[in-house]
Amino acid sequence: MAGTEAENPIGGEKFVGEHEHFLEMEESFMFGAASIWHPLKLVISCLILLNFLCVGYPSKDPDLEGEALIQLLSALNDSNHRVEDWNYYLVSPCFSWSHITCRNGNVISLSLAANGFSGTLSPAITKLRFLVNLELQNNNLSGPLPDYLGSLTHLENLNLASNKFHGSIPIAWGKLFNLKHLDISSNNLTGRVPKQFFSVPEFNFTETSLTCGSRLEEPCVSKSPSPVSPNKSRLSIIVIAASCGAFILFLLGFAYRHHRLRRLKNDVFVDVAGEDDRKISLGQIKRFSWREIQLATDNFSDSNIIGQGGFGKVYKGVLSDNTKVAVKRLSDCYIPGGEAAFHREVQIISVAVHRNLLRLIGFCTTSSERILVYPYMQNLSVAFHLRELKPGETGLDWQTRRRVAFGAAHGLEYLHEHCNPKIIHRDLKAANILLDDNFEAVLGDFGLARLVDTKLTHVTTQIRGTMGHIAPEYLSTGKSSEKTDVFGYGVTLLELVNGKRAIDLSRLAEEEDVLLLDHAKKLLRENRLDDIVDGNLKTYDRKEVETLVKVALLCTQSSPECRPRMSEVVKLLHGVGLTERWIEWERLEDARNQDFSLMSCQYLWAEDSTVDQEAIHLSKAR
C-alpha cells in the first residue's frame, strides 16, 4: 500500500511566487562549495534552473501547467494546508506532485475532493488543455459555475458536487462533447438544465433548484426507464410485475451458478509461460469479488480514504467477517500483459513473506480495475508519528525509532537477497514504513512498480520515488538497483533521527542546507551531533544516534559501488565493521572538500555467501 501519508517532502509553499527567495535558493544550490561536489544536489539544482528557464517536454511547456496549478491552488484557498508539495520552482507537476495524474507529459487528472477548500475555481485551469478528469466534490467552493470550463474539450468526468456554487449551468458547457460523467448535485443552482446534458451517460442534478424531474420529462439523476403509464389497469401491472420478478429470480440463479463456476476456475492459474506447465495456487491469497470490495469500502467512499500515492488511493475497509483491511485501488487500469500478467506479479509479491513486510491478503480484478487488499495498520506510518501528530500527542521514542531502523533494514535485506526474483522497493521513505500493533516496522508499497506501466502513471519518466530520497545515479540515468534502495534507506535513517523531511525549505531562513543529508553532514563535521536529533525526543542514547547517523552517511555515498549491501547494513547497525568503513568515508569526504576531482572507493563490500541466521528467523510468517 502506498502508505498512509500522501507524502512528497518538497515543501516550500511560502516561497511560491517570491522571486527574491528563489534567487537566494538558486544561489545556495548552485554556488555553495558542498553542492558542487554532491551529485544529487547538483542534479536538483539543474532541474530548478531548467524549470526557471522554461525548458521542458517537447510536447508542452511544463512551467505553464505548473504555474496554472499554483494559481489554481491559491484561488481554492487551501487554509488547511492539505496540499503542501506543489512547488513550481523545484520540479515539474508530472514528476512528483500529489493529486495529479499525467500522460505523455500532460496533466490529465486533478483529484482534489474533500480537502476543505473554501475559495473559487480560477480561470487558470483552462491552461490544463488536456484535462480529462476534474474532481472537486465535498469542498466549500463558491461563486457561479465557471463558464470557462467549456474550453476543456477533453473533459470526460466533472464532479463539483456538495459545494456552494450558485447560478445556472453555463451555455459554454455545451462544448463539452466528451463528457461522460457530470455531478453538480448539492449546490445552490437555479434555472433550466440544457437539454443536451440529459444525453450525458451519467449525470446528477439532485439537491439543487434546477428545473428537472417533475417539471420536465427528464430525470434529475442518471437515466431511468419511463414510468408505467397511469391508465394501465391494476391487473396488468400485477401480471407484469410477477413476470418480471420470476424472470429476475431465474437470472439471479443462473448468475450465481456461473459466478461459482468461474470463481473455482480462477482460483488456480498457469505460471509464466515457458517455465513449466504446472498450475500454481495462490495459497492463502484470496481473490475477492468486485461486490465484496464495494461493500467493504462503502463503494469507495471518500470518507474512507486513508492515503494516496503514486499508484492510487488507499481506502479503509471492513470485510464481511469484520476484518479491517486497507484496499489499494491502482490508479491506472492498464497493466502490461493484461490480467494474466497482473496475476503473475501478485504471485511474486505474495511469496515475499517476512515479519517486516506488509502481507498481501488478496486481490480483485475486473476488466477495468486492479485492487490489492492488505491488513489495516491502525498505527499508520512512521511519517505520521514524526510529523503529523497534534500538539500534546506523544511521538515515537528513541527505542521505537531504533527498532524501526533495524526492522526496515531486515525487510530490505530479505527483498534484495532472499527473494527470487529479487524485489527493489524504489521508494523507501518514512511514509512507506507502517507500524503494526507492537510498533514494529512493516515495509509497504514494495513490488508495485512491477504492476503498473510507468509510462502511464503520474510520473511520466521511468523514475519512481520521492525527491530527496532518490539516489543520484537513478535520477540521472533512470536505472535502479539494490543500491538505489540503500540510498533511500540512508535518508530514511536521517528522517528517524531528525524527524524532518528529506527536503525542508524552512531551513533556508536559518541559512542551513535544504537537503537533510547535507544538513546532517555539516552538523557532524562541526561536532554538533545533538543538533541533528529531533527536538521532540526527550531522551536518547548518544552512542546509538552516532551509529545510525554514520550508517546513514555510508548508505548515501555518491557512488553506488561505495554503498554497503543491506546484509552489510544490518551488521553495521550492530557496530560490526563500522569503524573501518567510517575511516574510509572520512577519507573520501576530505578529498571532496579539497577539490580532488579523482576519487574512488578503496574497498568493496565483502560478498558474504553465508546465510544470516537472524534473517531466516525474521523471515517467518506473521
mmCIF file of all heavy atoms in Angstrom, residues 148-164:
data_model
loop_
_atom_site.group_PDB
_atom_site.id
_atom_site.type_symbol
_atom_site.label_atom_id
_atom_site.label_comp_id
_atom_site.label_asym_id
_atom_site.label_seq_id
_atom_site.Cartn_x
_atom_site.Cartn_y
_atom_site.Cartn_z
ATOM 1 N N TYR A 148 -15.754 29.087 -18.214
ATOM 2 C CA TYR A 148 -14.535 28.774 -18.936
ATOM 3 C C TYR A 148 -14.186 27.285 -18.883
ATOM 4 O O TYR A 148 -13.291 26.832 -19.592
ATOM 5 C CB TYR A 148 -13.353 29.596 -18.427
ATOM 6 C CG TYR A 148 -13.316 29.824 -16.931
ATOM 7 C CD1 TYR A 148 -12.848 28.849 -16.053
ATOM 8 C CD2 TYR A 148 -13.745 31.035 -16.395
ATOM 9 C CE1 TYR A 148 -12.813 29.069 -14.686
ATOM 10 C CE2 TYR A 148 -13.725 31.259 -15.027
ATOM 11 C CZ TYR A 148 -13.250 30.280 -14.181
ATOM 12 O OH TYR A 148 -13.205 30.493 -12.822
ATOM 13 N N LEU A 149 -14.880 26.509 -18.075
ATOM 14 C CA LEU A 149 -14.671 25.060 -18.127
ATOM 15 C C LEU A 149 -15.092 24.496 -19.478
ATOM 16 O O LEU A 149 -14.668 23.402 -19.864
ATOM 17 C CB LEU A 149 -15.451 24.360 -17.010
ATOM 18 C CG LEU A 149 -14.952 24.563 -15.580
ATOM 19 C CD1 LEU A 149 -15.792 23.752 -14.605
ATOM 20 C CD2 LEU A 149 -13.487 24.172 -15.454
ATOM 21 N N GLY A 150 -15.910 25.238 -20.207
ATOM 22 C CA GLY A 150 -16.343 24.796 -21.527
ATOM 23 C C GLY A 150 -15.209 24.684 -22.524
ATOM 24 O O GLY A 150 -15.354 24.027 -23.555
ATOM 25 N N SER A 151 -14.060 25.312 -22.226
ATOM 26 C CA SER A 151 -12.922 25.228 -23.145
ATOM 27 C C SER A 151 -12.118 23.945 -22.954
ATOM 28 O O SER A 151 -11.238 23.643 -23.765
ATOM 29 C CB SER A 151 -12.002 26.440 -22.958
ATOM 30 O OG SER A 151 -11.422 26.435 -21.664
ATOM 31 N N LEU A 152 -12.401 23.204 -21.880
ATOM 32 C CA LEU A 152 -11.680 21.956 -21.622
ATOM 33 C C LEU A 152 -12.359 20.825 -22.397
ATOM 34 O O LEU A 152 -13.073 19.993 -21.836
ATOM 35 C CB LEU A 152 -11.643 21.656 -20.125
ATOM 36 C CG LEU A 152 -10.963 22.721 -19.249
ATOM 37 C CD1 LEU A 152 -11.089 22.371 -17.781
ATOM 38 C CD2 LEU A 152 -9.489 22.845 -19.632
ATOM 39 N N THR A 153 -12.137 20.794 -23.676
ATOM 40 C CA THR A 153 -12.903 19.914 -24.559
ATOM 41 C C THR A 153 -12.581 18.437 -24.373
ATOM 42 O O THR A 153 -13.310 17.579 -24.870
ATOM 43 C CB THR A 153 -12.647 20.300 -26.026
ATOM 44 O OG1 THR A 153 -11.227 20.293 -26.271
ATOM 45 C CG2 THR A 153 -13.196 21.690 -26.308
ATOM 46 N N HIS A 154 -11.477 18.114 -23.685
ATOM 47 C CA HIS A 154 -11.142 16.706 -23.436
ATOM 48 C C HIS A 154 -11.819 16.175 -22.166
ATOM 49 O O HIS A 154 -11.704 14.982 -21.872
ATOM 50 C CB HIS A 154 -9.629 16.534 -23.294
ATOM 51 C CG HIS A 154 -8.863 16.785 -24.545
ATOM 52 N ND1 HIS A 154 -8.688 15.839 -25.531
ATOM 53 C CD2 HIS A 154 -8.230 17.909 -24.992
ATOM 54 C CE1 HIS A 154 -7.980 16.341 -26.521
ATOM 55 N NE2 HIS A 154 -7.682 17.600 -26.223
ATOM 56 N N LEU A 155 -12.511 17.034 -21.443
ATOM 57 C CA LEU A 155 -13.062 16.651 -20.152
ATOM 58 C C LEU A 155 -14.107 15.543 -20.299
ATOM 59 O O LEU A 155 -15.046 15.650 -21.079
ATOM 60 C CB LEU A 155 -13.699 17.879 -19.484
ATOM 61 C CG LEU A 155 -13.757 17.895 -17.953
ATOM 62 C CD1 LEU A 155 -12.365 17.784 -17.355
ATOM 63 C CD2 LEU A 155 -14.426 19.172 -17.473
ATOM 64 N N GLU A 156 -13.915 14.453 -19.524
ATOM 65 C CA GLU A 156 -14.855 13.334 -19.529
ATOM 66 C C GLU A 156 -15.581 13.203 -18.189
ATOM 67 O O GLU A 156 -16.722 12.758 -18.153
ATOM 68 C CB GLU A 156 -14.121 12.026 -19.837
ATOM 69 C CG GLU A 156 -13.514 11.977 -21.225
ATOM 70 C CD GLU A 156 -12.809 10.661 -21.492
ATOM 71 O OE1 GLU A 156 -12.899 9.749 -20.629
ATOM 72 O OE2 GLU A 156 -12.149 10.545 -22.549
ATOM 73 N N ASN A 157 -14.902 13.566 -17.098
ATOM 74 C CA ASN A 157 -15.506 13.455 -15.766
ATOM 75 C C ASN A 157 -15.411 14.793 -15.055
ATOM 76 O O ASN A 157 -14.317 15.312 -14.834
ATOM 77 C CB ASN A 157 -14.787 12.374 -14.952
ATOM 78 C CG ASN A 157 -15.311 12.295 -13.534
ATOM 79 O OD1 ASN A 157 -16.512 12.384 -13.308
ATOM 80 N ND2 ASN A 157 -14.419 12.161 -12.565
ATOM 81 N N LEU A 158 -16.550 15.369 -14.693
ATOM 82 C CA LEU A 158 -16.599 16.638 -13.979
ATOM 83 C C LEU A 158 -17.475 16.462 -12.749
ATOM 84 O O LEU A 158 -18.677 16.216 -12.856
ATOM 85 C CB LEU A 158 -17.167 17.744 -14.886
ATOM 86 C CG LEU A 158 -17.360 19.122 -14.232
ATOM 87 C CD1 LEU A 158 -16.053 19.658 -13.665
ATOM 88 C CD2 LEU A 158 -17.951 20.114 -15.229
ATOM 89 N N ASN A 159 -16.869 16.585 -11.569
ATOM 90 C CA ASN A 159 -17.591 16.382 -10.316
ATOM 91 C C ASN A 159 -17.385 17.599 -9.418
ATOM 92 O O ASN A 159 -16.299 17.806 -8.878
ATOM 93 C CB ASN A 159 -17.102 15.114 -9.606
ATOM 94 C CG ASN A 159 -18.067 14.676 -8.510
ATOM 95 O OD1 ASN A 159 -18.804 15.485 -7.949
ATOM 96 N ND2 ASN A 159 -18.049 13.397 -8.194
ATOM 97 N N LEU A 160 -18.428 18.420 -9.299
ATOM 98 C CA LEU A 160 -18.407 19.610 -8.447
ATOM 99 C C LEU A 160 -19.458 19.505 -7.344
ATOM 100 O O LEU A 160 -19.870 20.516 -6.770
ATOM 101 C CB LEU A 160 -18.660 20.866 -9.286
ATOM 102 C CG LEU A 160 -17.696 21.122 -10.455
ATOM 103 C CD1 LEU A 160 -18.132 22.363 -11.228
ATOM 104 C CD2 LEU A 160 -16.273 21.297 -9.951
ATOM 105 N N ALA A 161 -19.881 18.301 -7.020
ATOM 106 C CA ALA A 161 -20.971 18.091 -6.062
ATOM 107 C C ALA A 161 -20.603 18.573 -4.663
ATOM 108 O O ALA A 161 -19.430 18.650 -4.300
ATOM 109 C CB ALA A 161 -21.350 16.607 -6.019
ATOM 110 N N SER A 162 -21.652 18.896 -3.892
ATOM 111 C CA SER A 162 -21.504 19.252 -2.465
ATOM 112 C C SER A 162 -20.541 20.405 -2.265
ATOM 113 O O SER A 162 -19.586 20.342 -1.493
ATOM 114 C CB SER A 162 -21.054 18.019 -1.666
ATOM 115 O OG SER A 162 -21.984 16.970 -1.766
ATOM 116 N N ASN A 163 -20.785 21.496 -2.982
ATOM 117 C CA ASN A 163 -20.071 22.748 -2.781
ATOM 118 C C ASN A 163 -21.109 23.851 -2.592
ATOM 119 O O ASN A 163 -22.270 23.566 -2.255
ATOM 120 C CB ASN A 163 -19.150 23.040 -3.967
ATOM 121 C CG ASN A 163 -17.848 22.268 -3.900
ATOM 122 O OD1 ASN A 163 -16.974 22.581 -3.105
ATOM 123 N ND2 ASN A 163 -17.709 21.248 -4.748
ATOM 124 N N LYS A 164 -20.717 25.102 -2.800
ATOM 125 C CA LYS A 164 -21.636 26.230 -2.632
ATOM 126 C C LYS A 164 -21.717 27.066 -3.903
ATOM 127 O O LYS A 164 -21.877 28.291 -3.847
ATOM 128 C CB LYS A 164 -21.193 27.092 -1.444
ATOM 129 C CG LYS A 164 -21.250 26.351 -0.114
ATOM 130 C CD LYS A 164 -20.793 27.234 1.052
ATOM 131 C CE LYS A 164 -20.874 26.488 2.374
ATOM 132 N NZ LYS A 164 -20.389 27.305 3.510
#
